[in-house]
Short mmCIF file of all heavy atoms in Angstrom, two decimals:
data_model
loop_
_atom_site.label_atom_id
_atom_site.label_comp_id
_atom_site.label_asym_id
_atom_site.label_seq_id
_atom_site.Cartn_x
_atom_site.Cartn_y
_atom_site.Cartn_z
N ALA A 1013 -76.19 53.28 -14.32
CA ALA A 1013 -76.19 51.82 -14.23
C ALA A 1013 -74.79 51.24 -14.48
O ALA A 1013 -73.85 51.56 -13.77
CB ALA A 1013 -77.21 51.23 -15.20
N ILE A 1014 -74.65 50.40 -15.52
CA ILE A 1014 -73.40 49.67 -15.71
C ILE A 1014 -72.40 50.41 -16.60
O ILE A 1014 -71.32 49.88 -16.87
CB ILE A 1014 -73.68 48.29 -16.34
CG1 ILE A 1014 -74.25 48.45 -17.76
CG2 ILE A 1014 -74.63 47.48 -15.48
CD1 ILE A 1014 -74.36 47.15 -18.51
N THR A 1015 -72.73 51.62 -17.03
CA THR A 1015 -71.94 52.29 -18.06
C THR A 1015 -70.45 52.35 -17.74
O THR A 1015 -69.62 51.92 -18.55
CB THR A 1015 -72.46 53.72 -18.28
OG1 THR A 1015 -73.83 53.65 -18.65
CG2 THR A 1015 -71.68 54.40 -19.39
N ILE A 1016 -70.09 52.89 -16.60
CA ILE A 1016 -68.68 53.09 -16.29
C ILE A 1016 -67.96 51.77 -16.06
O ILE A 1016 -66.89 51.52 -16.64
CB ILE A 1016 -68.54 54.00 -15.05
CG1 ILE A 1016 -68.95 55.43 -15.40
CG2 ILE A 1016 -67.11 53.98 -14.53
CD1 ILE A 1016 -68.85 56.39 -14.25
N ALA A 1017 -68.52 50.90 -15.22
CA ALA A 1017 -67.87 49.63 -14.93
C ALA A 1017 -67.70 48.80 -16.19
O ALA A 1017 -66.65 48.21 -16.44
CB ALA A 1017 -68.69 48.85 -13.90
N ALA A 1018 -68.74 48.75 -17.03
CA ALA A 1018 -68.69 47.95 -18.26
C ALA A 1018 -67.66 48.51 -19.23
O ALA A 1018 -66.89 47.76 -19.83
CB ALA A 1018 -70.06 47.91 -18.91
N ARG A 1019 -67.64 49.82 -19.39
CA ARG A 1019 -66.72 50.42 -20.35
C ARG A 1019 -65.27 50.07 -20.04
O ARG A 1019 -64.54 49.58 -20.89
CB ARG A 1019 -66.88 51.93 -20.39
CG ARG A 1019 -65.83 52.61 -21.27
CD ARG A 1019 -65.97 54.11 -21.29
NE ARG A 1019 -64.85 54.70 -22.04
CZ ARG A 1019 -64.68 56.00 -22.22
NH1 ARG A 1019 -65.57 56.84 -21.74
NH2 ARG A 1019 -63.65 56.45 -22.89
N TYR A 1020 -64.84 50.30 -18.80
CA TYR A 1020 -63.44 50.08 -18.47
C TYR A 1020 -63.11 48.60 -18.32
O TYR A 1020 -62.02 48.15 -18.69
CB TYR A 1020 -63.07 50.85 -17.19
CG TYR A 1020 -63.04 52.34 -17.42
CD1 TYR A 1020 -64.06 53.16 -16.94
CD2 TYR A 1020 -62.02 52.92 -18.16
CE1 TYR A 1020 -64.04 54.54 -17.17
CE2 TYR A 1020 -61.99 54.28 -18.40
CZ TYR A 1020 -63.01 55.09 -17.90
OH TYR A 1020 -62.99 56.44 -18.13
N GLY A 1021 -64.05 47.81 -17.80
CA GLY A 1021 -63.81 46.38 -17.65
C GLY A 1021 -63.73 45.67 -18.99
O GLY A 1021 -62.81 44.88 -19.24
N ILE A 1022 -64.68 45.96 -19.87
CA ILE A 1022 -64.69 45.33 -21.20
C ILE A 1022 -63.47 45.77 -22.00
O ILE A 1022 -62.81 44.96 -22.66
CB ILE A 1022 -65.99 45.68 -21.96
CG1 ILE A 1022 -67.19 45.01 -21.28
CG2 ILE A 1022 -65.90 45.21 -23.41
CD1 ILE A 1022 -68.53 45.42 -21.85
N ALA A 1023 -63.15 47.07 -21.96
CA ALA A 1023 -62.01 47.58 -22.70
C ALA A 1023 -60.72 46.90 -22.26
O ALA A 1023 -59.89 46.49 -23.09
CB ALA A 1023 -61.89 49.09 -22.52
N ARG A 1024 -60.53 46.75 -20.94
CA ARG A 1024 -59.30 46.11 -20.45
C ARG A 1024 -59.25 44.65 -20.85
O ARG A 1024 -58.22 44.13 -21.28
CB ARG A 1024 -59.23 46.26 -18.92
CG ARG A 1024 -58.08 45.53 -18.26
CD ARG A 1024 -56.77 45.71 -18.98
NE ARG A 1024 -56.46 47.08 -19.30
CZ ARG A 1024 -55.71 47.46 -20.31
NH1 ARG A 1024 -55.19 46.57 -21.13
NH2 ARG A 1024 -55.46 48.73 -20.54
N GLY A 1025 -60.39 43.94 -20.74
CA GLY A 1025 -60.41 42.53 -21.11
C GLY A 1025 -60.12 42.31 -22.58
O GLY A 1025 -59.31 41.46 -22.95
#
Side-chain angles (χ1 to χ4, degrees):
I1014 66 171
T1015 302
I1016 290 180
R1019 174 181 174 181
Y1020 290 106
I1022 292 173
R1024 174 45 49 208

